[in-house]
Structures are given as structure tokens and as C-alpha cells.
Amino acid sequence: MPPVPELSKVKIYFVLGGPGSGKGTQCDKIVAKYGFTHLSTGDLLRDEVASGSERGKELTKIMEKGDLVPLETVLGLLRDAMLKKASTSKGFLIDGYPRELDQGKRFEADVAAVHAVLYFEVADETMKKRLLKRAETSGRVDDNEETIVKRLKTFHNHTQPVIDHYDKVHKVFKVVAEGSVDDIFHKVEGFLDKQ
């Protein structure tokens, strides 16, 4: 897939941070203030499955087997979702993507260039506390201490090379995401207001 001309002028931000880093909360605040479109690959996959489309039926088969969804499929879902909103969105927040360096490179080759990476950096202990607190009400099966530790390890092992790559080309804005939601958002505003 060649890059999409309709997406060449819109600002695209990858939003990265470990589980419990507050990415989703901050994305909600960015959408409310700046009019960006928030896209999560997990949500896009679940929506496609729920739609009952042919692609959704294929995804169901893949996920039922426990296989990973092919990168081309994920890129196609992102590309389609972005094209639907390209004429009205003031920017895109791609939440939790890329998880591995190849995904980022393929996105830029096949969809569009990335303006910057918003990286919410939080101590593992803080993320663990936040997730255990969320577990009290979330009902999520992955919000337990053993799984949280594994998720944090996976995040560091796979996503750090992504952050290092984009940092080398001066595209990473690191947000120390400790403190209150509003304090963290104030740091984000300081960055986005200059863009």
C-alpha cells in the first residue's frame, strides 16, 4: 500500500505508554480540547468483528485460534478509519500503536508520516498500583498482579525500541505521567499548543 495523499497534511500522533500510564484518559482530554480523533487498534478490531462483515468474520477465526492479527489487516483498519475522518479531524491519536518497531515503519510507509510520539512515562510501581485500583471496579481479567507484571515486561521489551527509534529522529515528546490527571494534561497542552 502506498501512503495516502488525503492523510499527508493531517497531524498524526502515536500515543505510547505502559498499561496504566493514563494514555486513554489523556487521549479523552486531548479530543475534548483539540478536536482530534482517537483511534485504538483494539477498538477497531472489536468493532469490525461486531459488524459481521467479511473482514470481521476472518478476524473472528484468527482470534478464536489465538493467532495474531496480520499487520496488513491492522493497517487496513487504521487507514480506513482515518480516511473516514480525514476531512473533519484536526489530528489523529493512534493509541497504543505501534507496539513493535516494524509496525511503526510499515504505518509510515503504507499510511502516512507520523508527526510525533506522545510517550507517557510512568514508574512500573505506579502503573501497577493504578491497575490494581482499576481492578476493583473494572472486571477485567488482565487486571491482576501476576498478569500486570507480565504486561509491563512485554511493554518494555517490545515498545522501548519504538521509543528509541523515534527519539533518534527527534519525534518523541516524553510526558512524565506521575501526579494528577490535570497536572499531566497541562504538560500535554504545553506540547500540543506549540505544534
Side-chain angles (χ1 to χ4, degrees), residues 17-25 122-156:
S21 63
K23 295 184 309 288
T25 300
V122 183
D124 283 5
E125 195 55 37
T126 301
M127 287 189 279
K128 193 162 86 173
K129 284 180 188 170
R130 288 177 182 174
L131 290 169
L132 289 171
K133 179 76 176 154
R134 181 174 81 183
E136 294 171 11
T137 58
S138 74
R140 285 180 54 161
V141 295
D142 58 352
D143 281 348
N144 64 72
E145 191 154 0
E146 183 181 339
T147 306
I148 289 167
V149 169
K150 286 179 185 171
R151 289 170 64 201
L152 289 169
K153 185 176 184 210
T154 298
F155 168 75
H156 291 301

Side-chain angles (χ1 to χ4, degrees), residues 16 101 116-117 119 160-174:
L16 299 176
L101 185 53
V117 175
Y119 171 45
Q160 194 60 52
V162 175
I163 295 161
D164 294 344
H165 169 77
Y166 285 102
D167 199 33
K168 286 178 191 161
V169 294
H170 311 290
K171 286 190 173 187
V172 173
F173 179 70
K174 189 184 299 185

Side-chain angles (χ1 to χ4, degrees), residues 5-175:
E6 298 90 333
L7 298 174
S8 64
K9 296 196 180 356
V10 68
K11 289 185 179 172
I12 300 168
Y13 298 87
F14 288 152
V15 182
L16 299 176
S21 63
K23 295 184 309 288
T25 300
Q26 293 300 318
C27 282
D28 290 345
K29 293 180 81 59
I30 294 167
V31 167
K33 179 167 182 179
Y34 296 96
F36 286 13
T37 300
H38 177 208
L39 297 174
S40 155
T41 54
D43 289 346
L44 291 172
L45 289 166
R46 285 184 288 276
D47 291 348
E48 190 69 24
V49 167
S51 77
S53 71
E54 281 306 310
R55 183 162 57 181
K57 290 173 186 168
E58 288 300 313
L59 287 171
T60 299
K61 289 178 192 171
I62 292 166
M63 293 188 286
E64 281 175 349
K65 287 192 273 183
D67 293 340
L68 290 176
V69 175
L71 179 55
E72 290 74 20
T73 304
V74 174
L75 286 173
L77 287 169
L78 276 170
R79 183 181 173 128
D80 292 351
M82 292 172 76
L83 280 170
K84 284 180 191 167
K85 302 274 188 174
S87 63
T88 57
S89 184
K90 295 183 179 170
F92 288 95
L93 303 170
I94 312 296
D95 183 354
Y97 185 92
R99 293 184 189 273
E100 296 178 334
L101 185 53
D102 185 52
Q103 293 175 343
K105 289 180 176 181
R106 287 285 307 279
F107 180 95
E108 293 203 87
D110 296 351
V111 181
V114 171
H115 183 71
V117 175
L118 286 172
Y119 171 45
F120 291 95
E121 184 179 61
V122 183
D124 283 5
E125 195 55 37
T126 301
M127 287 189 279
K128 193 162 86 173
K129 284 180 188 170
R130 288 177 182 174
L131 290 169
L132 289 171
K133 179 76 176 154
R134 181 174 81 183
E136 294 171 11
T137 58
S138 74
R140 285 180 54 161
V141 295
D142 58 352
D143 281 348
N144 64 72
E145 191 154 0
E146 183 181 339
T147 306
I148 289 167
V149 169
K150 286 179 185 171
R151 289 170 64 201
L152 289 169
K153 185 176 184 210
T154 298
F155 168 75
H156 291 301
N157 289 343
H158 292 275
T159 309
Q160 194 60 52
V162 175
I163 295 161
D164 294 344
H165 169 77
Y166 285 102
D167 199 33
K168 286 178 191 161
V169 294
H170 311 290
K171 286 190 173 187
V172 173
F173 179 70
K174 189 184 299 185
V175 179

Side-chain angles (χ1 to χ4, degrees), residues 25-34 120 175 180-192:
T25 300
Q26 293 300 318
C27 282
D28 290 345
K29 293 180 81 59
I30 294 167
V31 167
K33 179 167 182 179
Y34 296 96
F120 291 95
V175 179
S180 75
V181 170
D182 289 337
D183 288 344
I184 296 163
F185 188 61
H186 184 68
K187 297 172 192 175
V188 173
E189 287 175 310
F191 171 69
L192 290 177

